[in-house]
Amino acid sequence: IIGYGNHLQQQELPKGQREMIDASVLAGEHLLHLIEQLIQVAKADSGSVVIEVKEMRPTTILTEIRNIMANRAEDKGLDLQLHAAPFSDRLISAPAETIRNILLNLVGNAIKFTENGTILVSSRIVENGSQTLLELRVSDTGIGITEDALEKVFQPFQQADDTVLSRFGGTGLGLAICRQLCDQLGGSIRVESEVGQGSCFIVQLPVTPIEEHNDQIDVTSDPVVKLIAIGNFDTDLLAKA
């Protein structure tokens, strides 16, 4: 249905018909998104989610998220920035696809609940005793969350309050999925927020560092970022997003 709708959107049609097709495609995409989220919740509850661990660099994931979400942020006039702390480009063994899904949910929410300002996605490596953690943060300048709803938002089918559903819509599943995925990986997710000032979602996941030789270091020149902390970094996180 969505495919046919997308095809019709490319045709020269009267305004009324185009508006009906646009509405049909939007409704279809919303329904597809809901089904996909319900499937993810069901898989997580049953423990059937397959977690694939592979070699990756946190800076590469940040770049991919920026590339995927840049148009949505631009459509709302939002400034999407990346920040890589020193040594965030180090090679690690981690579930890249799961991390990507978590960040897509968090950045998607940040864009949805922010009317103007900045979305900042950052990463850093944290040494916690014998454990190495990848810490990811998604900050926004959006509507914020009341203190009594900081845990509620991670429950399935829950919004911060009834006004959020009426203003922004949504299923209330995205953050619940993020919490379930973090739990399965032995990690954590929490949020710091102030109403009217914005929110910061903080994810910490255990990862395994990989020793590199000089010939393994991947240096690229794709300009993707506005804000950077200087250290051992990928050059693709040095320029304007």
Side-chain angles (χ1 to χ4, degrees), residues 88-142:
S88 286
D89 68 328
R90 69 187 298 182
L91 193 64
I92 60 174
S93 177
E97 189 62 34
T98 304
I99 292 171
R100 186 182 296 106
N101 288 339
I102 291 171
L103 282 177
L104 285 173
N105 266 309
L106 294 179
V107 176
N109 274 355
I111 293 173
K112 179 166 69 172
F113 295 120
T114 303
E115 296 300 327
N116 55 74
T118 301
I119 310 296
L120 176 62
V121 186
S122 62
S123 68
R124 68 173 182 148
I125 300 294
V126 179
E127 300 295 342
N128 183 23
S130 61
Q131 191 176 46
T132 300
L133 300 174
L134 170 61
E135 182 177 285
L136 302 163
R137 293 181 177 238
V138 178
S139 305
D140 63 58
T141 54

Side-chain angles (χ1 to χ4, degrees), residues 33-86:
H33 180 63
L34 175 59
I35 292 171
E36 289 173 342
Q37 288 193 315
L38 288 170
I39 291 172
Q40 286 191 54
V41 170
K43 284 184 176 180
D45 286 341
S46 66
S48 62
V49 175
V50 177
I51 304 296
E52 180 186 359
V53 175
K54 63 181 183 179
E55 294 183 2
M56 58 160 281
R57 298 180 191 275
T59 48
T60 300
I61 292 289
L62 261 63
T63 300
E64 292 174 354
I65 297 301
R66 202 281 313 185
N67 291 342
I68 293 170
M69 306 301 289
N71 286 341
R72 287 181 58 185
E74 185 178 342
D75 288 344
K76 292 191 68 175
L78 301 175
D79 191 14
L80 178 58
Q81 297 181 354
L82 307 181
H83 179 274

Side-chain angles (χ1 to χ4, degrees), residues 77-234:
L78 301 175
D79 191 14
L80 178 58
Q81 297 181 354
L82 307 181
H83 179 274
F87 308 108
S88 286
D89 68 328
R90 69 187 298 182
L91 193 64
I92 60 174
S93 177
E97 189 62 34
T98 304
I99 292 171
R100 186 182 296 106
N101 288 339
I102 291 171
L103 282 177
L104 285 173
N105 266 309
L106 294 179
V107 176
N109 274 355
I111 293 173
K112 179 166 69 172
F113 295 120
T114 303
E115 296 300 327
N116 55 74
T118 301
I119 310 296
L120 176 62
V121 186
S122 62
S123 68
R124 68 173 182 148
I125 300 294
V126 179
E127 300 295 342
N128 183 23
S130 61
Q131 191 176 46
T132 300
L133 300 174
L134 170 61
E135 182 177 285
L136 302 163
R137 293 181 177 238
V138 178
S139 305
D140 63 58
T141 54
I143 60 174
I145 304 169
T146 59
E147 185 175 356
D148 60 349
L150 293 179
E151 276 300 314
K152 177 183 176 183
V153 295
F154 291 106
Q155 299 172 12
F157 304 107
Q158 295 293 322
Q159 303 276 14
D161 57 58
D162 293 338
T163 61
V164 172
L165 181 60
S166 61
R167 286 179 61 190
F168 300 97
T171 62
L173 284 174
L175 291 178
I177 291 170
C178 290
R179 168 66 61 84
Q180 289 175 325
L181 292 174
C182 287
D183 288 346
Q184 287 186 339
L185 297 174
S188 64
I189 181 172
R190 61 187 174 88
V191 59
E192 299 172 353
S193 186
E194 184 176 345
V195 175
Q197 299 299 313
S199 303
C200 178
F201 286 85
I202 303 162
V203 174
Q204 286 191 329
L205 302 171
V207 298
T208 303
I210 297 176
E211 292 295 329
E212 293 186 83
H213 302 292
N214 289 336
D215 58 357
Q216 288 181 277
I217 298 175
D218 178 29
V219 179
T220 62
S221 57
D222 296 333
V224 297
V225 78
K226 278 190 172 183
L227 182 61
I228 188 74
I230 300 301
N232 180 19
F233 49 78
D234 256 349

